[in-house]
């Protein structure tokens, strides 16, 4: 199976990640609207939100900081999958080294090296007021994704440059 171009792995991954971002968007809308219209049960300082069609529910502590943390985290995950799907959409093109890919890799880099760590610090220290580092691995993964995306962005920039030089010599 080929990696790039139409109807190949990049095509499948585009639809997978775009579908995940749409599902996440619908989930966060349902989650937040359930609190706004009070479509949840409240038992023992916990909330229970019934999920239609699959017969299960979401539950958690009924505190504003927990609800805000879940919403912000879901929004970040939606943006993460959406930007990732845009990268694979750009890789579906016949010419892999293109400016769309570079732009989307740049967004992915900023998301993982800037927005993600800022959100982690905001949620961890300001909203939840934690003093431990038990979930620091999430921050490390974001930084690792960002560094890899930074290297890929630079590589694709050089690829576009080489491709433009090659097109001029032909």
């Amino acid at each position: 199976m080929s990696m790039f171009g139409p109807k190949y792995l990049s095509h499948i991954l585009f639809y997978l990640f775009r579908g995940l971002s749409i599902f996440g968007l619908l989930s966060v809308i349902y989650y937040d609207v359930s609190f706004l219209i009070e479509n949840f049960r409240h038992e023992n300082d916990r909330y229970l939100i019934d999920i239609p069609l699959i017969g299960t529910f979401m539950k958690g502590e009924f505190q504003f900081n927990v609800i805000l943390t879940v919403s912000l985290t879901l929004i970040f995950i939606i943006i993460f999958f959406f930007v990732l799907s845009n990268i694979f959409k750009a890789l579906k093109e016949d010419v892999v080294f293109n400016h769309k890919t570079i732009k989307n890799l740049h967004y992915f880099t900023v998301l993982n090296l800037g927005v993600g760590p800022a959100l982690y610090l905001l949620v961890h220290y300001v909203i939840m007021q934690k003093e431990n580092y038990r979930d620091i691995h999430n921050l490390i993964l974001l930084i690792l994704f960002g560094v890899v995306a930074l290297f890929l962005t630079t590589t694709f920039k050089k690829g576009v440059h080489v491709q433009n030089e090659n097109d001029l010599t032909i």
Side-chain angles (χ1 to χ4, degrees), residues 1-3 5-19 85 88-89 92:
M1 177 183 270
S2 182
M3 300 288 280
K7 307 236 184 217
Y8 294 110
L9 185 60
S10 58
H11 192 81
I12 294 166
L13 291 174
F14 162 69
Y15 285 112
L16 173 71
F17 291 124
R18 185 59 56 98
S85 74
F88 287 109
K89 181 180 180 182
K92 287 179 5 179

Side-chain angles (χ1 to χ4, degrees), residues 5-161:
K7 307 236 184 217
Y8 294 110
L9 185 60
S10 58
H11 192 81
I12 294 166
L13 291 174
F14 162 69
Y15 285 112
L16 173 71
F17 291 124
R18 185 59 56 98
L20 286 172
S21 66
I22 292 169
F23 176 75
L25 180 63
L26 294 174
S27 297
V28 78
I29 289 171
Y30 182 74
Y31 180 80
D32 290 341
V33 167
S34 291
F35 286 110
L36 290 175
I37 64 172
E38 297 183 9
N39 182 29
F40 63 93
R41 291 177 295 184
H42 185 251
E43 299 174 3
N44 301 330
D45 287 335
R46 298 183 69 77
Y47 64 84
L48 297 156
I49 301 174
D50 291 320
I51 302 174
L53 303 175
I54 59 176
T56 188
F57 54 87
M58 293 183 277
K59 65 180 177 178
E61 291 183 41
F62 188 62
Q63 297 176 3
F64 178 73
N65 60 348
V66 172
I67 295 166
L68 180 62
T69 297
V70 170
S71 294
L72 288 174
T73 303
L74 285 174
I75 290 168
F76 176 79
I77 291 169
I78 292 164
I79 296 169
F80 181 90
F81 283 136
F82 184 77
V83 172
L84 199 55
S85 74
N86 284 343
I87 292 170
F88 287 109
K89 181 180 180 182
L91 291 174
K92 287 179 5 179
E93 303 290 327
D94 290 331
V95 178
V96 177
F97 294 104
N98 58 53
H99 292 287
K100 286 185 204 175
T101 306
I102 293 170
K103 180 180 73 170
N104 289 310
L105 281 168
H106 177 73
Y107 291 155
F108 194 67
T109 302
V110 169
L111 185 68
N112 284 291
L113 289 179
V115 177
L119 180 65
Y120 175 85
L121 294 173
L122 175 72
V123 165
H124 196 78
Y125 295 109
V126 178
I127 297 173
M128 297 302 289
Q129 298 177 347
K130 293 183 178 180
E131 295 178 3
N132 58 30
Y133 295 98
R134 288 192 331 226
D135 58 351
I136 191 107
H137 60 279
N138 295 328
L139 179 61
I140 293 169
L141 279 173
L142 286 175
I143 292 171
L144 184 64
F145 283 153
V147 169
V148 169
L150 184 62
F151 278 101
L152 286 173
T153 304
T154 304
T155 303
F156 271 78
K157 282 181 183 176
K158 289 182 180 182
V160 166
H161 180 71

